[in-house]
Amino acid sequence: MRSSVLSVSSARTALSATPPLDRSVAPALPTRLRPADLLRLTDEGAEDVLAGRYDHLLPANGEWPIDERWATRLLADDEVDVWLISWTPDKSTELHDHAGSLGALTVLSGALSEFRWNGTELRCRMLTAGDQASFPIGWVHDVMRAPDAVPGAAASAGPLDPTLSVHAYSPPLTAMSYYEVTGHGTLRRTRTVLTDQPEGDM
């Protein structure tokens, strides 16, 4: 043990000499960015995509993949990753968390269905163009392109109707854990993977 470490008794003395705080102290997070910062980044990213600033990163000929989700990184540094994701019908991310990263998204076009674990059950919400959501550490959800709103309409995805969202993660994603709901109404972790892909492997 280093000699500079306080002994237990001197540490207690130092703590007792510290005046009490008149406000609660937020727990330390692994990033200086907060959910509001990530929401702002995804909103700005969505505006930049709409303004054509990232056209050079979009699929060739404007043809969006129709079989698998597609993503491109819009911004990357040591603090945050920002991604554009295109969603296809019937392809969910599976229930997952973002390990030690905070997250946020802005829906750019189309609509997403999010199934979030609230501690006792899965709750569903729909996020449509312009909607935003943030994900604190420990958030477990499954995300997919929302079914078409018109009853009886065939699900489609193509160059004229992509479902797009911009996502931000801080710190940048390094791992994700996947879960299943048990017959007892609890979550069971099924696997943990190292990844830097947004919302799971494409």
Side-chain angles (χ1 to χ4, degrees), residues 12 19 27 29 47 61 66 71 84-86 94 98 104 124-125 136 141 147 165 171 174 183 194-195:
R12 286 185 182 143
L29 292 174
E47 289 179 7
N61 304 320
I66 60 173
L84 173 66
I85 302 177
S86 171
E94 299 181 59
H98 303 118
C124 180
R125 66 174 167 174
H141 69 169
S165 55
T174 58
L194 299 179
T195 184

Side-chain angles (χ1 to χ4, degrees), residues 52-68:
R53 294 186 182 95
Y54 292 112
D55 282 357
H56 61 287
L57 298 177
L58 303 183
N61 304 320
E63 294 185 9
W64 299 91
I66 60 173
D67 296 321
E68 299 293 337

